[in-house]
Amino acid sequence: NGEVQACSCQSKIDKLLQEQTGDLDAHLAWAVVFGPKTTTYPQIVYTYRKKDKAGNFTKKKFEGTMIPTYCPFCGKKYAKAK
């Protein structure tokens, strides 16, 4: 099917979340990156505030997403996207 997994943490982590919460729909956010080899990565969501012209932080919060190059659960390096 062309899908590449660097490790088996996705299924393990989702199963642990379901067991801990008792909710069979519980899961971590995973990003699917398409290319010659489709790969799944965990998403790390962060929030931040921008600064105004005076250098003060605004009240509005913005959200971004990071995708790690190593599995944050087992430390295995993900293959580089080509």
Coordinates of all heavy atoms in Angstrom, one line a residue:
N1 N 0.8 -1.2 0.0 CA 0.0 0.0 0.0 C 0.8 1.3 0.0 O 0.3 2.4 0.0 CB -1.0 0.0 1.2 CG -0.4 0.1 2.6 OD1 0.8 0.3 2.7 ND2 -1.2 0.0 3.6
G2 N 2.2 1.1 0.1 CA 3.1 2.3 0.0 C 3.2 3.1 1.3 O 3.8 4.1 1.3
E3 N 2.6 2.6 2.4 CA 2.6 3.4 3.7 C 3.9 2.9 4.4 O 4.2 1.8 4.5 CB 1.4 3.1 4.5 CG 1.3 4.0 5.7 CD 0.0 4.0 6.4 OE1 -1.0 3.9 5.7 OE2 0.0 4.2 7.6
V4 N 4.6 3.9 5.0 CA 5.8 3.7 5.8 C 5.5 4.1 7.2 O 5.1 5.1 7.5 CB 7.0 4.5 5.2 CG1 8.2 4.3 6.1 CG2 7.2 4.1 3.8
Q5 N 5.9 3.2 8.2 CA 5.8 3.5 9.6 C 7.2 3.3 10.1 O 7.8 2.3 10.0 CB 4.9 2.5 10.3 CG 3.4 2.8 10.1 CD 2.9 4.1 10.5 OE1 2.5 4.9 9.7 NE2 3.0 4.4 11.8
A6 N 7.8 4.3 10.8 CA 9.1 4.2 11.4 C 9.1 3.3 12.6 O 10.0 2.7 12.9 CB 9.6 5.6 11.8
C7 N 7.9 3.3 13.3 CA 7.7 2.5 14.5 C 6.3 2.2 14.7 O 5.4 2.6 13.9 CB 8.2 3.3 15.7 SG 7.4 4.9 15.9
S8 N 5.9 1.4 15.7 CA 4.5 1.0 15.9 C 3.9 1.8 17.0 O 2.9 1.4 17.6 CB 4.5 -0.5 16.2 OG 5.2 -0.7 17.4
C9 N 4.4 3.0 17.3 CA 3.9 3.8 18.4 C 2.5 4.3 18.2 O 1.8 4.5 19.1 CB 4.9 5.0 18.7 SG 6.4 4.4 19.5
Q10 N 2.1 4.6 16.9 CA 0.8 5.1 16.7 C -0.3 4.2 17.2 O -1.1 4.7 18.0 CB 0.6 5.4 15.2 CG -0.8 5.9 14.9 CD -1.1 6.2 13.5 OE1 -0.3 6.0 12.6 NE2 -2.3 6.6 13.2
S11 N -0.2 3.0 16.9 CA -1.2 2.0 17.4 C -1.1 1.8 18.9 O -2.1 1.7 19.6 CB -1.2 0.7 16.6 OG 0.1 0.1 16.8
K12 N 0.1 1.8 19.4 CA 0.3 1.6 20.9 C -0.2 2.7 21.7 O -0.9 2.6 22.7 CB 1.8 1.4 21.2 CG 2.4 0.1 20.7 CD 3.8 0.0 21.0 CE 4.5 -1.2 20.5 NZ 5.9 -1.2 20.7
I13 N 0.1 4.0 21.2 CA -0.3 5.2 22.0 C -1.9 5.3 21.9 O -2.5 5.6 22.9 CB 0.4 6.4 21.4 CG1 1.9 6.3 21.7 CG2 -0.2 7.7 22.1 CD1 2.3 6.1 23.1
D14 N -2.4 5.1 20.7 CA -3.9 5.2 20.6 C -4.6 4.2 21.5 O -5.6 4.5 22.2 CB -4.3 5.1 19.2 CG -4.1 6.4 18.4 OD1 -3.8 7.4 19.0 OD2 -4.2 6.3 17.1
K15 N -4.1 3.0 21.5 CA -4.6 1.9 22.4 C -4.5 2.3 23.9 O -5.5 2.1 24.6 CB -4.0 0.6 22.1 CG -4.6 -0.5 22.9 CD -3.9 -1.9 22.6 CE -4.6 -3.0 23.4 NZ -4.0 -4.2 23.3
L16 N -3.4 2.8 24.3 CA -3.2 3.3 25.7 C -4.2 4.4 26.0 O -4.7 4.4 27.1 CB -1.8 3.7 25.9 CG -0.7 2.6 26.0 CD1 0.7 3.2 26.1 CD2 -1.0 1.8 27.3
L17 N -4.3 5.4 25.1 CA -5.3 6.4 25.4 C -6.7 5.9 25.6 O -7.4 6.3 26.4 CB -5.3 7.4 24.2 CG -4.1 8.4 24.2 CD1 -4.1 9.2 22.9 CD2 -4.2 9.4 25.3
Q18 N -7.1 5.0 24.7 CA -8.4 4.4 24.8 C -8.6 3.6 26.1 O -9.6 3.7 26.8 CB -8.7 3.4 23.6 CG -8.7 4.2 22.3 CD -8.6 3.4 21.1 OE1 -8.4 2.1 21.2 NE2 -8.6 4.0 19.9
E19 N -7.6 2.9 26.5 CA -7.6 2.1 27.8 C -7.7 3.1 29.0 O -8.5 2.9 29.9 CB -6.4 1.2 27.9 CG -6.4 0.0 27.0 CD -5.1 -0.8 27.0 OE1 -4.2 -0.4 27.8 OE2 -5.0 -1.8 26.3
Q20 N -6.9 4.1 29.0 CA -6.9 5.1 30.1 C -8.1 5.9 30.2 O -8.6 6.2 31.3 CB -5.7 6.0 30.0 CG -4.3 5.3 30.2 CD -4.2 4.8 31.6 OE1 -4.5 5.5 32.6 NE2 -3.7 3.6 31.8
T21 N -8.7 6.2 29.1 CA -9.9 7.1 29.1 C -11.2 6.3 29.1 O -12.3 6.8 29.4 CB -10.0 8.0 28.0 OG1 -10.0 7.3 26.7 CG2 -8.7 8.9 27.9
G22 N -11.2 5.0 28.7 CA -12.4 4.2 28.5 C -13.1 4.6 27.3 O -14.2 4.1 27.1
D23 N -12.6 5.4 26.5 CA -13.3 5.9 25.3 C -12.6 5.3 24.0 O -11.4 5.6 23.7 CB -13.2 7.4 25.2 CG -13.8 8.0 24.0 OD1 -14.4 7.3 23.1 OD2 -13.8 9.2 23.8
L24 N -13.3 4.4 23.3 CA -12.7 3.7 22.2 C -12.5 4.6 21.0 O -11.8 4.3 20.0 CB -13.6 2.6 21.8 CG -13.7 1.4 22.8 CD1 -14.7 0.3 22.3 CD2 -12.4 0.9 23.1
D25 N -13.0 5.9 21.1 CA -12.7 6.9 20.0 C -11.6 7.8 20.3 O -11.2 8.6 19.5 CB -14.0 7.7 19.8 CG -15.1 7.0 19.1 OD1 -14.8 6.0 18.4 OD2 -16.3 7.4 19.3
A26 N -10.9 7.6 21.5 CA -9.8 8.5 21.9 C -8.6 8.2 21.0 O -8.3 7.0 20.7 CB -9.5 8.3 23.4
H27 N -7.9 9.2 20.6 CA -6.7 9.1 19.8 C -5.9 10.3 19.8 O -6.4 11.4 20.0 CB -7.1 8.6 18.3 CG -7.8 9.7 17.6 ND1 -9.2 9.9 17.7 CD2 -7.4 10.7 16.7 CE1 -9.5 10.9 16.9 NE2 -8.5 11.4 16.3
L28 N -4.6 10.2 19.5 CA -3.7 11.3 19.3 C -3.9 11.9 17.9 O -4.2 11.1 17.0 CB -2.3 10.9 19.6 CG -1.2 11.9 19.7 CD1 -1.4 12.7 21.0 CD2 0.2 11.2 19.8
A29 N -3.6 13.2 17.7 CA -3.7 13.7 16.4 C -2.4 13.3 15.6 O -1.3 13.4 16.0 CB -3.7 15.2 16.5
W30 N -2.7 12.7 14.5 CA -1.6 12.2 13.6 C -1.7 12.9 12.2 O -2.8 13.0 11.7 CB -1.7 10.7 13.4 CG -1.5 9.9 14.7 CD1 -2.5 9.6 15.6 CD2 -0.3 9.5 15.3 NE1 -2.0 8.9 16.7 CE2 -0.6 8.9 16.5 CE3 1.0 9.6 15.0 CZ2 0.3 8.3 17.4 CZ3 2.0 9.0 15.8 CH2 1.6 8.4 17.0
A31 N -0.6 13.3 11.7 CA -0.6 13.9 10.4 C -0.1 12.9 9.3 O 0.8 12.1 9.5 CB 0.5 15.1 10.3
V32 N -0.9 12.8 8.2 CA -0.5 11.9 7.1 C 0.1 12.7 6.1 O -0.4 13.7 5.6 CB -1.8 11.2 6.6 CG1 -1.4 10.3 5.4 CG2 -2.5 10.4 7.7
V33 N 1.4 12.4 5.7 CA 2.1 13.1 4.7 C 2.2 12.2 3.5 O 2.7 11.1 3.5 CB 3.5 13.4 5.2 CG1 4.3 14.1 4.1 CG2 3.5 14.3 6.4
F34 N 1.6 12.7 2.3 CA 1.6 11.9 1.1 C 2.8 12.2 0.2 O 3.3 13.3 0.2 CB 0.3 12.2 0.4 CG -1.0 11.9 1.1 CD1 -1.7 12.8 1.8 CD2 -1.4 10.5 1.1 CE1 -2.8 12.5 2.5 CE2 -2.5 10.2 1.8 CZ -3.3 11.1 2.5
G35 N 3.2 11.2 -0.5 CA 4.3 11.3 -1.4 C 4.6 9.9 -2.0 O 3.6 9.1 -2.0
P36 N 5.8 9.6 -2.5 CA 6.0 8.3 -3.0 C 5.8 7.2 -1.9 O 5.3 6.1 -2.2 CB 7.5 8.3 -3.3 CG 7.8 9.8 -3.5 CD 6.9 10.5 -2.6
K37 N 6.0 7.6 -0.6 CA 5.7 6.7 0.5 C 4.9 7.5 1.5 O 5.3 8.5 2.0 CB 7.0 6.3 1.2 CG 8.0 5.5 0.3 CD 7.6 4.1 0.3 CE 8.7 3.3 -0.5 NZ 8.4 1.9 -0.7
T38 N 3.7 7.1 1.7 CA 2.8 7.8 2.6 C 3.2 7.5 4.1 O 3.5 6.3 4.4 CB 1.3 7.3 2.5 OG1 1.0 7.6 1.1 CG2 0.4 8.1 3.4
T39 N 3.4 8.5 4.9 CA 4.0 8.4 6.2 C 3.0 9.1 7.2 O 2.5 10.1 6.9 CB 5.4 9.0 6.3 OG1 6.2 8.4 5.3 CG2 6.0 8.6 7.6
T40 N 2.9 8.5 8.4 CA 2.1 9.1 9.5 C 3.0 9.6 10.6 O 3.9 8.9 11.0 CB 1.2 8.0 10.1 OG1 0.4 7.5 9.0 CG2 0.2 8.6 11.1
Y41 N 2.8 10.8 11.0 CA 3.6 11.5 12.1 C 2.7 12.0 13.2 O 1.6 12.5 12.9 CB 4.4 12.7 11.5 CG 5.4 12.3 10.4 CD1 5.0 12.5 9.1 CD2 6.7 11.9 10.7 CE1 5.9 12.2 8.1 CE2 7.5 11.6 9.7 CZ 7.2 11.8 8.3 OH 8.0 11.5 7.3
P42 N 3.2 12.0 14.4 CA 2.3 12.7 15.5 C 2.4 14.2 15.3 O 3.4 14.7 14.9 CB 3.0 12.2 16.8 CG 4.4 11.9 16.4 CD 4.4 11.4 15.0
Q43 N 1.3 14.8 15.5 CA 1.3 16.3 15.5 C 1.4 16.9 16.9 O 0.8 16.4 17.8 CB -0.1 16.8 14.9 CG -0.4 16.4 13.5 CD -1.7 17.0 13.1 OE1 -2.3 17.9 13.7 NE2 -2.3 16.4 12.0
I44 N 2.3 17.9 17.0 CA 2.5 18.6 18.2 C 1.9 20.0 18.0 O 2.4 20.8 17.3 CB 3.9 18.7 18.6 CG1 4.5 17.2 18.8 CG2 4.1 19.5 19.9 CD1 6.0 17.2 18.9
V45 N 0.7 20.2 18.7 CA 0.0 21.5 18.5 C 0.5 22.5 19.6 O 0.7 22.1 20.8 CB -1.5 21.3 18.6 CG1 -2.2 22.6 18.5 CG2 -2.0 20.3 17.6
Y46 N 0.8 23.7 19.2 CA 1.2 24.7 20.2 C 0.4 26.0 20.0 O -0.2 26.2 18.9 CB 2.7 25.0 20.1 CG 3.1 25.5 18.7 CD1 3.2 26.9 18.5 CD2 3.5 24.7 17.7 CE1 3.6 27.4 17.3 CE2 3.8 25.2 16.4 CZ 3.9 26.5 16.2 OH 4.3 27.0 15.0
T47 N 0.3 26.8 21.0 CA -0.4 28.1 20.9 C 0.7 29.2 21.2 O 1.6 29.0 22.0 CB -1.6 28.2 21.8 OG1 -1.1 28.0 23.2 CG2 -2.6 27.2 21.5
Y48 N 0.4 30.4 20.6 CA 1.3 31.5 20.9 C 0.6 32.8 20.7 O -0.5 32.8 20.1 CB 2.6 31.5 20.0 CG 2.3 31.6 18.5 CD1 2.4 32.9 17.9 CD2 1.8 30.5 17.8 CE1 2.1 33.0 16.6 CE2 1.5 30.7 16.4 CZ 1.7 31.9 15.8 OH 1.4 32.1 14.5
R49 N 1.1 33.9 21.2 CA 0.6 35.2 21.0 C 1.6 36.1 20.2 O 2.8 36.0 20.5 CB 0.2 35.9 22.3 CG -0.8 35.2 23.1 CD -1.1 35.8 24.4 NE 0.1 35.7 25.3 CZ 0.3 36.5 26.3 NH1 -0.5 37.5 26.6 NH2 1.4 36.4 27.0
K50 N 1.1 36.9 19.3 CA 2.0 37.8 18.6 C 2.2 39.1 19.4 O 1.4 39.3 20.3 CB 1.4 38.1 17.2 CG 1.3 36.9 16.3 CD 0.7 37.3 15.0 CE 0.7 36.0 14.1 NZ 0.1 36.4 12.7
K51 N 3.2 39.8 19.0 CA 3.4 41.1 19.7 C 2.9 42.2 18.8 O 2.9 42.2 17.6 CB 4.9 41.3 19.9 CG 5.5 40.4 21.0 CD 6.9 40.7 21.3 CE 7.4 39.9 22.4 NZ 8.8 40.2 22.8
D52 N 2.4 43.3 19.5 CA 1.9 44.4 18.8 C 3.1 45.4 18.5 O 4.2 45.0 18.8 CB 0.8 45.1 19.5 CG 1.2 45.6 20.9 OD1 2.4 45.8 21.2 OD2 0.3 45.9 21.7
K53 N 2.8 46.5 17.9 CA 3.9 47.4 17.5 C 4.7 48.0 18.7 O 5.8 48.3 18.6 CB 3.3 48.6 16.7 CG 2.8 48.2 15.3 CD 2.3 49.4 14.6 CE 1.8 48.9 13.2 NZ 1.2 50.0 12.4
A54 N 4.0 48.0 19.9 CA 4.7 48.5 21.1 C 5.5 47.4 21.8 O 6.2 47.6 22.8 CB 3.6 49.0 22.1
G55 N 5.4 46.1 21.2 CA 6.2 45.0 21.8 C 5.4 44.2 22.9 O 6.0 43.4 23.5
N56 N 4.2 44.5 23.1 CA 3.4 43.8 24.0 C 2.6 42.7 23.3 O 2.2 42.8 22.2 CB 2.3 44.8 24.7 CG 3.0 45.9 25.4 OD1 3.9 45.7 26.1 ND2 2.5 47.1 25.1
F57 N 2.4 41.6 24.1 CA 1.7 40.5 23.5 C 0.2 40.8 23.4 O -0.4 41.4 24.2 CB 1.8 39.2 24.5 CG 3.2 38.6 24.4 CD1 4.1 38.7 25.4 CD2 3.6 37.9 23.2 CE1 5.3 38.1 25.4 CE2 4.8 37.3 23.2 CZ 5.7 37.4 24.2
T58 N -0.4 40.4 22.3 CA -1.8 40.6 22.0 C -2.6 39.6 22.8 O -2.0 38.6 23.3 CB -2.1 40.4 20.5 OG1 -1.8 39.1 20.1 CG2 -1.3 41.4 19.7
K59 N -3.9 39.8 23.0 CA -4.7 38.9 23.7 C -5.1 37.7 22.9 O -5.3 36.6 23.4 CB -6.0 39.6 24.2 CG -5.8 40.6 25.2 CD -7.1 41.2 25.7 CE -6.8 42.3 26.8 NZ -8.0 42.9 27.3
K60 N -5.1 37.9 21.5 CA -5.5 36.8 20.6 C -4.4 35.7 20.6 O -3.2 36.0 20.5 CB -5.8 37.3 19.2 CG -6.2 36.3 18.2 CD -6.5 36.9 16.9 CE -6.9 35.8 15.9 NZ -7.2 36.3 14.6
K61 N -4.8 34.5 20.7 CA -3.9 33.4 20.6 C -4.0 32.7 19.2 O -5.0 32.6 18.6 CB -4.2 32.3 21.7 CG -3.8 32.8 23.1 CD -4.0 31.7 24.1 CE -3.6 32.3 25.4 NZ -3.8 31.2 26.5
F62 N -2.8 32.3 18.7 CA -2.7 31.6 17.4 C -2.3 30.2 17.7 O -1.7 29.9 18.7 CB -1.7 32.4 16.5 CG -2.1 33.8 16.2 CD1 -1.8 34.8 17.0 CD2 -2.8 34.0 15.0 CE1 -2.2 36.1 16.7 CE2 -3.2 35.3 14.7 CZ -2.9 36.4 15.6
E63 N -2.6 29.3 16.7 CA -2.2 27.9 16.9 C -1.3 27.5 15.7 O -1.5 27.9 14.6 CB -3.5 27.1 16.9 CG -3.3 25.6 17.3 CD -4.6 24.9 17.5 OE1 -5.2 25.0 18.6 OE2 -5.0 24.2 16.5
G64 N -0.4 26.6 16.0 CA 0.5 26.1 15.0 C 0.7 24.6 15.2 O 0.3 24.1 16.3
T65 N 1.3 23.9 14.3 CA 1.6 22.5 14.4 C 3.0 22.2 14.0 O 3.5 22.7 13.0 CB 0.6 21.7 13.5 OG1 -0.7 22.0 13.8 CG2 0.8 20.2 13.7
M66 N 3.6 21.4 14.8 CA 5.0 20.9 14.5 C 4.9 19.4 14.2 O 4.1 18.7 14.8 CB 5.9 21.1 15.7 CG 6.2 22.5 16.0 SD 7.5 22.6 17.3 CE 6.5 22.2 18.8
I67 N 5.7 18.9 13.3 CA 5.8 17.5 13.1 C 7.3 17.1 13.4 O 8.2 17.6 12.8 CB 5.4 17.1 11.7 CG1 4.0 17.5 11.4 CG2 5.7 15.6 11.4 CD1 3.5 17.3 10.0
P68 N 7.5 16.2 14.4 CA 8.9 15.9 14.8 C 9.6 15.0 13.8 O 9.0 14.4 12.9 CB 8.7 15.1 16.1 CG 7.3 14.5 16.0 CD 6.5 15.5 15.2
T69 N 10.9 15.0 13.8 CA 11.8 14.2 13.0 C 12.1 12.9 13.6 O 12.6 11.9 13.0 CB 13.1 14.9 12.6 OG1 13.7 15.3 13.7 CG2 12.8 16.1 11.7
Y70 N 11.9 12.8 15.0 CA 12.0 11.6 15.7 C 10.7 11.3 16.4 O 10.0 12.2 16.8 CB 13.2 11.7 16.8 CG 14.5 11.8 16.2 CD1 15.1 13.0 15.7 CD2 15.3 10.6 16.2 CE1 16.3 13.0 15.2 CE2 16.6 10.7 15.6 CZ 17.1 11.9 15.2 OH 18.4 11.9 14.7
C71 N 10.4 10.0 16.6 CA 9.2 9.6 17.4 C 9.4 10.1 18.8 O 10.4 9.8 19.5 CB 9.0 8.1 17.4 SG 7.6 7.6 18.4
P72 N 8.5 10.9 19.4 CA 8.6 11.4 20.7 C 8.4 10.3 21.8 O 8.6 10.5 23.0 CB 7.6 12.5 20.8 CG 6.6 12.2 19.8 CD 7.3 11.4 18.7
F73 N 8.0 9.1 21.4 CA 7.6 8.1 22.3 C 8.8 7.0 22.4 O 9.1 6.6 23.5 CB 6.3 7.4 21.9 CG 5.2 8.4 21.9 CD1 4.7 8.8 20.6 CD2 4.7 9.0 23.0 CE1 3.7 9.7 20.6 CE2 3.7 9.9 22.9 CZ 3.2 10.3 21.7
C74 N 9.4 6.7 21.3 CA 10.4 5.6 21.3 C 11.8 6.2 20.9 O 12.8 5.5 21.0 CB 10.0 4.4 20.5 SG 10.0 4.7 18.7
G75 N 11.8 7.4 20.3 CA 13.1 8.0 19.8 C 13.6 7.5 18.4 O 14.6 8.0 18.0
K76 N 12.8 6.7 17.8 CA 13.2 6.2 16.4 C 13.1 7.4 15.4 O 12.2 8.1 15.4 CB 12.4 5.1 16.0 CG 12.9 4.3 14.8 CD 12.1 3.0 14.6 CE 12.9 2.1 13.7 NZ 12.3 0.8 13.6
K77 N 14.2 7.5 14.6 CA 14.2 8.6 13.6 C 13.2 8.3 12.4 O 13.2 7.1 11.9 CB 15.6 8.8 13.0 CG 15.7 9.9 12.0 CD 17.2 10.1 11.6 CE 17.3 11.2 10.6 NZ 17.5 12.5 11.1
Y78 N 12.4 9.3 12.0 CA 11.5 9.1 10.9 C 12.3 9.3 9.6 O 13.3 10.0 9.6 CB 10.4 10.2 11.0 CG 9.4 10.0 12.1 CD1 9.2 11.0 13.0 CD2 8.7 8.8 12.3 CE1 8.3 10.9 14.0 CE2 7.9 8.7 13.3 CZ 7.6 9.7 14.2 OH 6.8 9.6 15.2
A79 N 11.9 8.6 8.6 CA 12.5 8.7 7.3 C 12.2 10.1 6.7 O 11.1 10.6 6.9 CB 12.0 7.6 6.3
K80 N 13.2 10.7 6.0 CA 13.0 12.0 5.4 C 12.0 11.9 4.3 O 12.1 10.9 3.5 CB 14.3 12.5 4.9 CG 15.3 13.0 6.0 CD 16.5 13.7 5.4 CE 17.4 14.2 6.5 NZ 18.5 14.8 6.0
A81 N 11.2 12.9 4.1 CA 10.2 12.9 3.0 C 11.0 13.3 1.8 O 11.9 14.1 1.8 CB 9.1 14.0 3.3
K82 N 10.7 12.6 0.7 CA 11.4 12.9 -0.6 C 10.6 13.6 -1.6 O 9.4 13.6 -1.6 CB 11.9 11.5 -1.2 CG 12.9 10.8 -0.3 CD 13.3 9.6 -1.0 CE 14.4 8.9 -0.1 NZ 14.9 7.7 -0.6

